[in-house]
Structures are given as C-alpha cells and as structure tokens.
Amino acid sequence: MFKVLIAVPTFENITPDTYKALWDMDKGEHEVLFEFLRGYDAAAARNNIADRAIALGVDYVMMVDSDITVPHDALLNLIEHDVDVCMGYYMHRNKDTNDTTPKTNVCKLADDNGTRFFGYPAESQITGDELREKCDNGEYLIAIHGGGLGCTLINTRVFLQAAFPWFDWISYADDNRSSLSEDLFFCETMHNECIPIYCDTRVRCGHLMRRVEYV
C-alpha cells in the first residue's frame, strides 16, 4: 500500500467532469490525499505540488489537469508498474482549429541535439491508434521521451534527486519562436537525471475542449 497525493494545478476551478472522474476513481487499498492549487501559473503550481508531496511524505503524486478526465482504474494501472514517472494519454489541443487530426500527449523523440522539444512533429508522435493497438496486444508499458503531464504519476523521490525548479517555462534565446513548456522541461530534467519516462497504454483519458473528447 502506498501513500498518494492526487493534485490538480488550476488557474481557477476544476471542471465538474474532472472532479467526478477523480471521485469515482478506484483507489484500492492506497492511502490517498487530495489537493488543488488555484491562482498559480502552471510551472509554479506544479512546483508547489511537488513541495507539498515532499512535506506530506507521500510515496507518489498523481498530477491531473483541471480539464482531464481519468478512467476508473487510472491510479491502480499507473502505480502497478513501480516506475518513477508514468503517464496516461489524451488528445491535446491544436492551435489550428481547422485541423481535426487526432493527437496524443506522447512524444517519442526530441530534435537532433536531444535537448529540445519543438512541438509534436509527426515522425516523433505516437498516435492514439498505435497506443490502443499496443494495449490490445498486451503491451501496457512503453518507454517514451516525454509528453504532457495531464495525467501523470510521479514517485516523490525524483524531486529529492533532481534540482529545483522541477518545472519551468523557458524560451530559447537563439530562436524566439520556440519554447519549452513546464511539462516538457520536467521531462528533459528527468532525462538529465537518467530517470526513464513511461506511458501506460491502458490509461486513456478524456480532454475537455468544447466537450470531453477521447483519443
């Protein structure tokens, strides 16, 4: 049995769909605490969640974004692997509102220097169809380079191993068109610390856009 902090970073409020999904989620025999942080930017909220997890002495923190709905068995599936970072997956928003191509939060590769994510190039992205096929074939745990943290279970020990800040939003001085969001910054930090990142293909989440949409 583990002690788990379920935490939601949010600018304002948690959507009813997200709260209902977390309420209904099977916690098994694990001791579960709940927290949400209001009024912070994403990086500050996640850093505060990590600090809270350390202060509470929990084994894991499960970060769920305020517009994500998790499946009933999300926690039990993520925690059974006994890895430091394990993600669920979901459709992410596209800046081009006319592009309805399904996308996920999972990315296999960075660019050639191995240190930067530039969006989600097609050749480096795992599609929802590919993930569902892996799940159907019994391949539940796959190694990935990184992705969004909308549904992610993190072992608290990684925050003790890696230096602060664990989450940050940075722009590259040599290319003002590119930046690294706080979730991908965390993924790069994990790689620098030689901490592998995984995705559980069973943890297929919904993402609230105009309605809850699934990959």
Side-chain angles (χ1 to χ4, degrees), residues 8-201:
V8 181
T10 173
F11 291 110
E12 295 179 353
N13 296 301
I14 304 170
T15 63
D17 301 86
T18 297
Y19 186 80
K20 179 68 162 56
L22 291 175
W23 178 270
D24 290 341
M25 189 171 61
D26 188 353
K27 283 80 170 180
E29 296 182 353
H30 302 297
E31 180 183 351
V32 174
L33 308 174
F34 178 79
E35 185 62 86
F36 77 98
L37 283 82
R38 177 189 290 141
Y40 293 91
D41 63 57
R46 295 193 192 281
N47 281 315
N48 275 282
I49 286 170
D51 277 331
R52 189 74 55 87
I54 293 170
L56 291 171
V58 299
D59 301 295
Y60 290 92
V61 57
M62 183 178 180
M63 294 192 187
V64 178
D65 284 359
S66 61
D67 57 357
I68 294 294
T69 61
V70 299
H72 178 69
D73 52 2
L75 173 60
L76 299 186
N77 284 336
L78 292 171
I79 209 168
E80 78 172 30
H81 301 297
D82 192 26
V83 296
D84 286 331
V85 183
C86 195
M87 298 178 173
Y89 71 102
Y90 50 92
M91 184 183 294
H92 69 76
R93 290 188 176 90
N94 195 319
K95 292 180 181 179
D96 181 359
T97 56
N98 294 318
D99 183 356
T100 58
T101 305
K103 295 176 174 60
T104 76
N105 74 323
V106 176
C107 202
K108 293 188 218 176
L109 305 171
D111 69 333
D112 291 340
N113 67 20
T115 59
R116 297 184 181 182
F117 284 90
F118 286 96
Y120 292 87
E123 65 273 14
S124 68
Q125 183 171 293
I126 306 173
T127 68
D129 287 341
E130 289 173 315
L131 288 169
R132 289 194 297 276
E133 182 178 356
K134 288 179 181 296
C135 185
D136 291 342
N137 292 331
E139 190 176 351
Y140 300 139
L141 188 69
I142 60 171
I144 60 172
H145 191 87
L149 300 179
C151 174
T152 305
L153 187 74
I154 304 170
N155 193 309
T156 309
R157 65 187 170 209
V158 308
F159 302 124
L160 302 176
Q161 177 176 334
F164 183 87
W166 306 290
F167 307 92
D168 200 1
W169 189 293
I170 60 174
S171 296
Y172 295 115
D174 60 342
D175 185 350
N176 60 15
R177 295 171 302 170
S178 64
S179 61
L180 196 68
S181 59
E182 89 291 342
D183 43 10
L184 301 184
F185 178 93
F186 171 79
C187 294
E188 291 301 338
T189 298
M190 294 298 99
H191 284 287
N192 292 339
E193 295 291 337
C194 298
I195 297 171
I197 300 172
Y198 297 92
C199 174
D200 188 317
T201 61

